[in-house]
């Protein structure tokens, strides 16, 4: 797999063009396929260099992401933010390709873009569910704050009253972090959509964003209790196949770019659902990507690393693979053990042990406190970027 990445560092094989790519398994060479006749009605204004540049950028961005995906980085809040930055960058480049398509579009190009945008609109529900999950994690942070305040040995002498308060918050936290079939049911603000007005948001949308979001109300205004994140991911990936040779030729290579962006969309939404507590989440998505694509190796390597994380004994029953969730569970359990075993007056050794554990819990709390708001804003940007791209593309 790594050798494949080395051979195709620039996204395509050395000396190969978009229009000469073969399917995997191999089919007849596209060089032998006649190009469609050029006419003002079906010729697109995308240069082959643009398409190759896009493929190269996908490869480079995922190689960069893989380079910062060690055991302590992958699926952290910071890593998830970086993943969304990759998606937004590539989505913007793909949108730039689409805007170069002159009107009226050929039937083949129209079909390719409609399939892609129908797929991307399904991601809006995932964005809404992820924001609900972030809100749920934020509610755990409030319980952590109670624990940290109650057990702040630097500001007060600890007594039984503080321990009882901390223990109650820790019990509530443990209950709230159970991996339930519908974790979102505990959220009193369930199903807030990015399409709704939110006065608390520091980055309000423009009137155009609101009107655009209205068009997708059926998919993204809210999700019902029967909604399933796992099924939505499967729906996004349904029939996502490497384009046939005649499809690539008929669209002057745009079909390959749309396929590439479709896989990127599927992977990003799958990773978000894996990391953040979501309603009926799961990791069943299937990634069958031809190896001759340079970005296949880093993307599939990241996929494998996330699956490996999900199989670790201490994370099998987690409500989300976000690294901070794992650390909350680890250190809140350790602090609770200290609280349960405490006797007054506290022995010096027991006090030092508890202080160390509380300090580790404080680090996790600060990471969440600093990262959740920017992460939520990024998910919001992804939501509106998908809406805006679909709306602008439909007007070409």
């Amino acid at each position: 797999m790594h050798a494949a990445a080395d051979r195709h560092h620039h996204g395509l094989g050395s000396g190969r063009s978009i229009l000469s790519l073969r399917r995997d398994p191999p089919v007849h060479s596209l060089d032998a396929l006649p190009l469609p006749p050029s006419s003002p009605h079906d010729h697109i204004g995308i240069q082959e260099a643009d398409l190759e540049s896009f493929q190269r950028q996908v490869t480079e961005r995922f190689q960069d992401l893989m380079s910062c995906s060690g055991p302590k980085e992958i699926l952290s809040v910071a890593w998830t933010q970086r993943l969304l930055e990759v998606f937004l960058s590539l989505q913007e480049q793909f949108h730039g390709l689409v805007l170069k398509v002159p009107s009226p579009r050929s039937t083949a190009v129209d079909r390719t873009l409609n399939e892609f945008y129908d797929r991307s609109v399904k991601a809006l529900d995932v964005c809404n569910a992820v924001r609900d999950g972030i809100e749920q994690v934020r509610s755990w942070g409030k319980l952590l704050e109670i624990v940290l305040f109650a057990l702040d040995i630097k500001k007060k002498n600890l007594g039984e009253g503080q321990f009882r308060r901390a223990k109650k918050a820790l019990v509530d936290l443990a209950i709230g972090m159970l991996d339930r079939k519908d974790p979102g049911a505990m959220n009193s603000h369930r199903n807030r959509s990015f399409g709704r007005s939110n006065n608390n948001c520091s980055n309000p949308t423009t009137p155009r964003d609101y009107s655009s979001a209205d068009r997708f109300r059926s998919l993204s205004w809210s999700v019902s209790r029967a909604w399933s994140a796992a099924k939505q991911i499967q729906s996004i990936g349904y029939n996502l196949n490497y384009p046939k040779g005649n499809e690539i030729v008929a669209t002057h290579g745009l079909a390959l770019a749309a396929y590439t962006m479709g896989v990127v969309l599927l992977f990003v939404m799958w990773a978000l659902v894996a990391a953040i507590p979501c309603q009926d989440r799961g990791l069943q998505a299937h990634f069958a990507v031809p190896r001759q694509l340079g970005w296949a190796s880093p993307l599939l390597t990241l996929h494998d690393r996330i699956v490996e994380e999900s199989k670790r004994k201490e994370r099998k029953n987690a409500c989300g693979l976000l690294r901070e969730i794992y650390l909350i569970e680890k250190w809140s359990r350790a602090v609770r053990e200290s609280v349960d075993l405490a006797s007054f007056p506290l022995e010096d050794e027991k006090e030092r042990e508890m202080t160390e554990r509380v300090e580790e819990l404080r680090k996790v709390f600060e990471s969440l406190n600093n990262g959740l708001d920017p992460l939520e804003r990024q998910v919001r940007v992804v939501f509106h970027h998908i809406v805006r791209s679909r709306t602008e593309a439909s007007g070409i």
Side-chain angles (χ1 to χ4, degrees), residues 132 136 182-188 190 278-279:
D132 286 337
Q136 189 179 350
D182 181 10
M186 294 163 38
N187 188 346
S188 61
R190 183 82 193 125
C278 286
Q279 188 170 306

Side-chain angles (χ1 to χ4, degrees), residues 8-13 21 52 55-57 59 292-295:
H8 302 287
H9 173 74
H10 294 298
L12 301 172
L21 278 175
E52 292 182 346
Q55 295 292 324
R56 184 168 56 251
Q57 285 297 313
T59 301
Q292 80 265 30
L293 296 170
W295 48 265

Side-chain angles (χ1 to χ4, degrees), residues 318-370:
C319 58
L321 296 180
L322 196 72
R323 177 165 175 78
E324 283 77 4
I325 291 178
Y326 161 68
L327 293 175
I328 289 174
E329 290 180 329
K330 176 182 177 179
W331 292 112
S332 65
R333 189 184 306 116
V335 171
R336 185 175 173 184
E337 288 174 358
S338 294
V339 170
D340 287 341
L341 296 175
S343 58
F344 296 92
L346 282 178
E347 299 177 4
D348 289 344
E349 183 179 347
K350 293 292 184 181
E351 183 176 303
R352 280 195 301 270
E353 179 185 78
M354 190 195 69
T355 300
E356 290 173 0
R357 293 177 174 182
V358 170
E359 188 57 33
E360 292 297 332
L361 198 58
R362 187 182 304 280
K363 292 178 183 177
V364 183
F365 169 76
E366 291 175 351
S367 175
L368 285 176
N369 204 37
N370 295 329

